[in-house]
């Protein structure tokens, strides 16, 4: 089901220490008296970064960034690497007492995962495709079969074999040619999300000579089985902006450029119609979207815009016969569904409403079948899926037992299928795959993710609350806890999570890892703050640009209300967020540090103004529609008023764990590195401030299904230790 927003960081340490005063946390003497013990001598001093004033002036305002020197685009500067290694050494020392707890948590997390696990096969063309994980393997093996039962499976790609020689490894964009003979895939061994495309002959198992570098990893095949389209990235900004046509057996240098995006506020993507007759180049900025169409049967065809792009006009298309079904915000804040004959689509006057816009219901996406339309809506924060018979017009809405849940369609590749494949989960229900009969709406259970161990869903409860924020708006909150551990007397520790940007909605879903917190008495809460689309498109609009502070205020107000309603202990509240959610953590830490005993900020976007003023950094120009362009004074001043790095002040801060990856392509490592250095300079408390840098990973953290659990174990051990839970 398509959506319009499917939319993203020791030994030489003495050389970089500054002579400035240490914050209380760091008041460990760097010289030892003769009477001090050997144990005391092993104490580690927090890295104190040197200060090199760097002036930045715009709009007659000058900012001094003392830690700007930490930016090293090549990631090779000895002083920078030494400082990051020193941070890791300090973090290891400060959290050494949690190593046993980390190990316990890691084994718990790993122990709940079914080692031998197969995905539910999905049909595409003549084959059924699925993935397998076995034993302690970190990566999946992709297989296919001529039937849904998996008879005579053929291995098409064993990622474990490919990953053997690499510290980090990721594949993306697996795409089989129309005749089923060739497999193209993207490979990233650095974690910068820059992929090399390879093509494998599935009859011989050998790679072709074709090697396409500097791409986003995804390809779309033309129907001749020897031509495909791919997107090349700008290696500085990491923006995918050029669409090339490649013919097998020819060098990349001879590839034909068929489209180049000149507007740096747009992302570029590729797709193909379900009937395989058209190839789509998707264009998407924060406030506008569109599509260009290429004939999949003509390897000389050039893309044609469906309509000219317009600011604030968003649309997405799906094709059935000669009719386009268009999900659009044309005259519809919460989107509507329109139809038009493909030959008349160039004029919006020809678009006809099929499902009209409604003020309180957001249309999120559709899926088309030969005789059925499936559409997904959201009302009062809850998604629902409806099946419409295109002949009779009769409709059936899917129903489930949970009061709050997440559902999405996947793997529906065939127009003539008589069933809809969906993935369903709630905060107490593990991920479940169903096939839904398109005529009767009857559900067939295909698989529910097994949680190894003594898990029983009946031991847990989930609630949905609406919290009134300071401006009177009601903010949805999803909660989960273990029934026999929850007292609602203000004694339970509570972890509150949120994201709140880009219109990304964090639906309530199951996490087997989260059980390690719930089983120790934690309440877990997702605050569906403004900046998402939980309550429709206006909910997003009210949490971006010059309304961004609503996001932070909502989070703080939810925390206060949960304490007031005794869901959590006032002295045992924790917060967690990553990426743009890390920005949230930074802003909240500046605004209301007294509310939180501890925070985890993962790959946090915290240096908002400086980053958004630098168009050479990855993704900056694409973000103007989300944060504003600080070259405009109005946006500059507003951003500056909440930017976590700029707003660090002399006050007490919560205990904090900050994480990043050296090769992060979304939020550059130097943002959290600078932020931690400045926090150390200004904070007036004795609380922990530790910074963990994965020197091999990027924005998504470590690769592999088990290795990444080490990050989760670290985060949880940090929180549990502060909560007084030692095992």
């Amino acid at each position: 089901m398509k959506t319009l927003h499917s939319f993203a960081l020791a030994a030489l340490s003495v050389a970089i220490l500054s002579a400035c005063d240490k914050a209380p946390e760091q008041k460990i003497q760097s010289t030892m008296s003769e009477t001090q013990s050997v144990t005391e001598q092993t104490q580690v001093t927090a890295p104190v970064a040197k200060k090199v004033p760097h002036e930045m002036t715009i709009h007659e305002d000058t900012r001094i960034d003392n830690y700007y020197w930490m930016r090293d685009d090549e990631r090779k500067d000895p002083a920078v690497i030494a400082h990051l290694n020193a941070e890791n050494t300090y973090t290891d020392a400060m959290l050494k007492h949690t190593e046993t707890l980390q190990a316990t948590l890691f084994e718990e997390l790993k122990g709940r995962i079914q080692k031998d696990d197969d995905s539910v096969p999905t049909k595409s063309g003549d084959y059924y495709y699925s993935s397998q994980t076995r034993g302690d393997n970190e990566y999946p093996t992709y297989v296919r079969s001529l039937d849904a039962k998996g008879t005579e499976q053929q291995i098409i790609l064993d990622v474990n074999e490919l990953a053997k020689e690499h510290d980090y490894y990721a594949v993306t964009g697996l795409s089989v040619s129309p005749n089923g003979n060739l497999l193209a895939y993207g490979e990233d061994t650095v974690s910068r999300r820059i992929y090399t495309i390879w093509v494998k002959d599935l009859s011989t198992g050998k790679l072709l000579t074709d090697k396409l570098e500097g791409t986003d990893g995804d390809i779309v095949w033309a129907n001749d089985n020897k031509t495909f389209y791919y997107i090349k990235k700008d290696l500085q900004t990491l923006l995918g902006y050029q669409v090339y046509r490649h013919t097998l057996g020819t060098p990349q240098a001879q590839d034909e450029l068929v489209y180049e995006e000149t507007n740096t506020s747009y992302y570029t993507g590729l797709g193909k119609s379900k009937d395989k007759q058209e190839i789509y180049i998707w264009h998407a900025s924060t406030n506008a979207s569109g599509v260009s169409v290429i004939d999949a049967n003509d390897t000389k065809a050039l893309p044609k815009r469906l309509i000219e792009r317009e600011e604030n006009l968003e649309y997405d298309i799906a094709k059935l016969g000669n009719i386009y079904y268009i999900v659009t915000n044309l005259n519809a804040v919460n989107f509507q569904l329109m139809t038009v004959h493909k030959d008349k689509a160039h004029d919006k006057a020809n678009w006809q409403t099929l499902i009209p816009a409604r003020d309180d219901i957001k249309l999120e996406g559709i899926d088309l079948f030969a005789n059925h339309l499936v559409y997904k809506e959201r009302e009062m924060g809850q998604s629902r899926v409806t099946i419409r018979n295109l002949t009779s017009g009769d409709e059936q809405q899917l129903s489930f037992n949970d009061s709050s849940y997440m559902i999405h369609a996947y793997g529906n590749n065939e127009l003539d299928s008589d069933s809809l494949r969906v993935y369903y989960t709630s905060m107490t229900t593990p991920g479940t795959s169903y096939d839904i009969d398109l005529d009767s709406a009857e559900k067939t259970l295909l698989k529910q993710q097994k949680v190894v161990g003594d898990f029983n869903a009946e031991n847990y409860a989930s609630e949905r609350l609406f919290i009134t924020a300071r401006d009177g708006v009601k903010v949805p909150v999803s909660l989960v806890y273990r029934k026999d551990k929850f007292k609602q007397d203000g004694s339970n520790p509570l972890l509150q999570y949120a994201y709140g940007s880009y219109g990304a909605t964090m639906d309530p879903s199951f996490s087997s890892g989260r059980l390690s917190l719930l089983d120790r008495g934690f309440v877990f809460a997702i605050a569906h703050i403004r900046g998402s689309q939980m309550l429709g498109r206006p909910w997003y609009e009210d949490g971006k640009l010059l309304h961004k502070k609503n996001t932070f205020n909502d989070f703080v107000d939810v925390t206060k209300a949960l304490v007031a309603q005794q869901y959590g202990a006032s002295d045992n509240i924790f917060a967690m967020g990553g990426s743009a959610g890390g920005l949230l953590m930074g802003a909240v830490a500046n605004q209301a540090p007294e509310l939180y005993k501890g925070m985890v900020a993962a790959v946090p976007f915290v240096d908002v103004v400086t980053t958004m003023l630098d168009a050479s950094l990855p993704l900056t120009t694409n973000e103007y529609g989300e944060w504003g362009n600080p070259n405009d004074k109005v946006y500059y001043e507003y951003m500056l008023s909440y930017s976590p790095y700029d707003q660090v002040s002399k006050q007490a801060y919560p205990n904090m764990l900050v994480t990043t990856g050296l090769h992060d392509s979304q939020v550059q490592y130097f943002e959290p590195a600078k932020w931690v250095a400045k926090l150390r300079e200004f904070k007036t408390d004795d609380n922990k401030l530790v910074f963990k840098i994965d020197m091999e990973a990027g924005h998504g953290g470590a690769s592999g299904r088990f290795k990444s659990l080490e990050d989760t174990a670290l985060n949880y051990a940090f929180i549990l230790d502060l909560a007084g839970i030692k095992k």
Side-chain angles (χ1 to χ4, degrees):
M1 202 171 285
K2 292 176 181 175
T3 60
L4 292 168
H5 293 276
S6 35
F7 334 103
L9 275 127
L12 299 175
S13 61
V14 174
I16 62 171
L17 295 179
S18 73
C20 63
D21 292 338
K22 296 182 177 71
E25 171 204 359
Q26 298 127 12
K27 288 181 180 176
I28 302 171
Q29 297 300 315
S30 58
T31 59
M32 303 291 174
S33 71
E34 294 180 358
T35 59
Q36 287 176 300
S37 68
V38 173
T39 301
E40 289 174 316
Q41 292 180 40
T42 63
Q43 289 182 301
V44 180
T45 302
V48 178
K50 65 182 179 181
K51 297 167 71 172
V52 182
H54 177 80
E55 288 192 5
M56 296 174 289
T57 301
I58 188 173
H59 306 304
E60 299 180 346
D61 180 57
T62 298
R63 292 177 299 136
I64 306 296
D65 186 349
N66 289 319
Y67 305 109
Y68 189 87
W69 65 270
M70 290 185 182
R71 174 178 175 176
D72 171 30
D73 292 348
E74 298 297 320
R75 291 157 172 78
K76 295 177 181 178
D77 185 293
V80 173
I81 298 301
H83 180 73
L84 298 180
N85 285 333
E87 288 285 6
N88 277 336
T89 298
Y90 178 68
T91 296
D92 291 344
M94 293 297 289
L95 300 183
K96 186 173 181 59
H97 66 286
T98 70
E99 286 181 354
T100 299
L101 179 56
Q102 289 183 52
T104 298
L105 289 165
F106 177 78
E107 292 303 323
E108 277 183 21
L109 297 167
K110 185 177 179 180
R112 294 192 193 102
I113 297 175
Q114 189 173 5
K115 288 191 173 184
D116 295 343
D117 195 14
D118 295 356
S119 68
V120 179
T122 59
K123 191 173 189 297
S124 182
D126 295 331
Y127 293 91
Y128 290 83
Y129 293 85
S130 62
S131 64
Q132 301 174 339
T133 51
R134 294 290 181 266
D136 290 326
N137 284 348
E138 291 280 0
Y139 302 95
T141 298
Y142 294 97
V143 300
R144 70 179 182 181
S145 176
L146 287 170
D147 61 56
K149 295 180 180 179
T151 307
E152 296 182 2
Q153 288 181 338
Q154 175 191 10
I155 295 175
I156 61 173
L157 198 69
D158 185 346
V159 184
N160 297 284
E161 286 297 318
L162 297 174
K164 277 184 176 179
E165 304 302 319
H166 303 282
D167 293 321
Y168 176 92
Y169 193 84
V171 296
T172 192
L174 278 70
S175 181
V176 176
S177 58
N179 62 11
N181 294 338
L182 301 169
L183 168 68
Y185 64 92
E187 173 188 75
D188 175 16
T189 60
V190 179
S191 190
R192 288 285 283 170
R193 300 186 184 180
I194 302 173
Y195 295 88
T196 298
I197 293 172
W198 300 95
V199 182
K200 182 179 180 180
D201 186 324
L202 294 178
S203 60
T204 67
K206 295 181 179 180
L207 290 178
L208 303 187
T209 57
D210 303 76
K211 179 183 179 181
L212 310 180
E213 298 179 296
T215 83
D216 75 348
D218 292 328
I219 73 107
V220 173
W221 290 94
N223 289 339
D224 68 345
N225 297 293
K226 63 181 181 180
T227 304
F228 62 74
Y229 298 82
Y230 68 94
I231 296 172
K232 198 167 184 180
K233 285 192 168 187
D234 182 307
L235 299 184
Q236 174 65 37
T237 66
L238 301 187
L239 179 66
Y241 72 113
Q242 293 176 320
V243 179
Y244 280 89
R245 180 159 46 212
H246 176 74
T247 301
L248 294 177
T250 64
Q252 185 176 11
Q254 293 182 11
D255 290 350
E256 180 184 1
L257 177 65
V258 298
Y259 178 82
E260 182 167 357
E261 182 56 70
T262 58
N263 186 333
T264 56
S265 67
Y266 276 84
Y267 291 100
T268 304
L270 289 172
K272 198 171 188 180
S273 60
K274 212 177 209 183
D275 65 5
K276 315 305 181 188
Q277 298 307 298
E278 293 181 342
I279 293 169
Y280 300 133
I281 301 175
W282 302 107
H283 317 289
S285 70
T286 304
N287 301 314
S289 63
V291 62
S292 296
V293 182
I294 305 174
D295 186 340
N297 298 297
D298 182 358
T299 58
K300 301 296 183 183
L302 294 176
K304 297 180 181 179
R305 288 262 170 90
L306 191 74
I307 60 170
E308 288 303 311
R309 296 191 308 217
E310 299 177 24
E311 189 68 18
N312 298 317
L313 175 65
E314 300 176 50
Y315 70 92
D316 192 7
I317 67 171
K319 180 175 175 289
L320 183 59
N322 290 319
I323 303 298
Y324 285 141
Y325 286 70
I326 306 172
V327 178
T328 179
N329 69 343
L330 178 64
N331 303 318
V333 172
N334 268 329
F335 294 82
Q336 63 171 318
L337 181 61
M338 308 184 81
T339 59
V340 66
H341 191 283
K342 63 187 297 289
D343 294 337
K344 298 180 179 180
H346 61 279
D347 186 349
K348 297 194 301 295
N350 297 322
W351 298 7
Q352 300 296 310
T353 295
L354 184 62
I355 298 178
R358 289 142 298 171
D359 291 338
D360 55 352
I361 301 175
K362 182 177 184 291
L363 178 64
E364 294 198 318
I366 66 168
D367 230 314
L368 282 171
F369 298 88
N371 300 305
H372 296 86
L373 162 69
V374 178
Y375 60 95
K376 181 180 175 183
E377 304 169 299
R378 187 182 295 272
E379 183 175 18
M380 289 299 291
Q382 180 56 62
S383 295
R384 63 178 181 230
V385 173
T386 302
I387 302 171
R388 175 183 291 189
N389 186 301
L390 289 172
T391 302
S392 67
D394 294 340
E395 292 191 343
Q396 299 182 81
Q397 192 176 116
L398 303 188
S399 61
F400 297 91
N401 293 329
D402 295 297
S403 59
S404 181
Y405 55 83
M406 179 180 81
I407 184 171
H408 67 259
Y410 78 99
N412 296 289
N413 305 309
E414 305 299 308
L415 276 171
D416 60 358
S417 175
D418 57 7
S419 63
L420 169 75
R421 175 72 53 81
V422 301
Y423 177 86
Y424 172 89
T425 181
S426 75
M427 296 187 87
T428 58
T429 305
T432 308
S433 291
Y434 293 101
D435 270 349
I436 313 294
D437 186 286
L438 288 168
D439 288 317
S440 68
E442 290 184 5
K443 297 191 288 286
T444 299
L445 174 64
L446 302 175
K447 176 185 178 180
Q448 183 170 93
Q449 189 63 47
K450 179 178 175 59
V451 181
V452 180
D454 60 356
F455 170 75
N456 182 347
E458 295 301 316
N459 291 336
Y460 304 88
S462 179
E463 294 185 34
R464 189 109 183 273
L465 308 176
F466 281 86
I467 302 296
T468 302
R470 64 193 67 181
D471 59 356
V473 170
K474 294 186 181 299
V475 181
V477 180
S478 298
L479 292 161
V480 65
Y481 48 79
R482 182 168 174 135
K483 294 176 183 177
D484 60 353
K485 300 283 187 178
F486 179 60
K487 305 183 177 86
Q488 199 167 352
D489 62 357
S491 64
N492 287 86
L494 182 146
L495 174 59
Q496 182 175 314
Y497 167 84
Y499 186 73
S501 292
Y502 304 108
T505 300
M506 302 301 164
D507 279 305
S509 60
F510 185 80
S511 165
S512 65
R514 194 186 297 144
L515 299 176
S516 289
L517 295 178
L518 306 185
D519 289 350
R520 289 172 171 83
F522 262 78
V523 175
F524 181 82
I526 304 175
H528 305 291
I529 53 184
R530 278 172 279 189
S532 73
Q533 298 187 80
M534 178 58 80
L535 296 182
R537 187 53 179 260
W539 198 245
Y540 171 39
E541 300 292 342
D542 208 24
K544 68 174 185 176
L545 297 174
L546 299 177
H547 303 290
K548 189 62 203 172
K549 291 181 183 179
N550 286 333
T551 299
F552 318 137
N553 295 342
D554 286 355
F555 191 90
V556 169
D557 293 347
V558 166
T559 301
K560 291 178 178 178
L562 291 177
V563 170
Q565 296 179 33
Q566 296 191 302
Y567 282 96
S570 61
D571 60 349
N572 240 349
I573 305 296
F574 300 86
M576 178 183 288
S579 195
L583 161 65
L584 171 67
M585 294 298 99
V588 168
N590 285 332
Q591 181 186 141
E594 73 283 355
L595 296 180
Y596 306 96
K597 190 168 191 175
M599 283 186 170
V600 176
V603 293
F605 173 43
V606 286
D607 193 11
V608 182
V609 178
T610 303
T611 292
M612 295 306 297
L613 280 169
D614 190 344
S616 72
L617 288 172
L619 311 181
T620 290
T621 55
N622 300 85
E623 308 293 301
Y624 287 157
E626 179 73 21
W627 314 103
N629 184 344
N631 291 293
D632 182 330
K633 186 177 181 180
V634 172
Y635 289 111
Y636 172 81
E637 292 178 344
Y638 188 76
M639 284 182 191
L640 192 61
S641 71
Y642 69 74
S643 173
Y645 182 64
D646 293 285
Q647 293 302 317
V648 169
S649 64
K650 287 191 178 297
Q651 64 172 342
Y653 282 90
N655 295 281
M656 300 178 76
L657 168 61
V658 182
T659 66
T660 193
L662 180 62
H663 300 285
D664 197 323
S665 58
Q666 311 297 106
V667 179
Q668 306 299 305
Y669 76 89
F670 45 82
E671 289 203 33
K674 290 164 52 178
W675 183 47
V676 168
K678 191 171 182 180
L679 282 168
R680 285 228 176 87
E681 178 186 354
F682 280 85
K683 67 199 290 290
T684 61
D685 56 82
D686 294 312
N687 292 330
K688 289 186 177 70
L689 173 58
V690 289
F691 183 31
K692 185 69 173 179
I693 309 100
D694 190 324
M695 303 300 282
E696 303 295 337
H699 198 64
S703 61
R705 62 171 176 159
F706 295 131
K707 187 177 179 182
S708 61
L709 297 179
E710 295 175 3
D711 297 335
T712 304
L714 174 67
N715 294 340
Y716 284 3
F718 178 78
I719 292 170
L720 289 167
D721 179 61
L722 291 172
I725 301 170
K726 305 300 182 182
K727 61 182 181 178

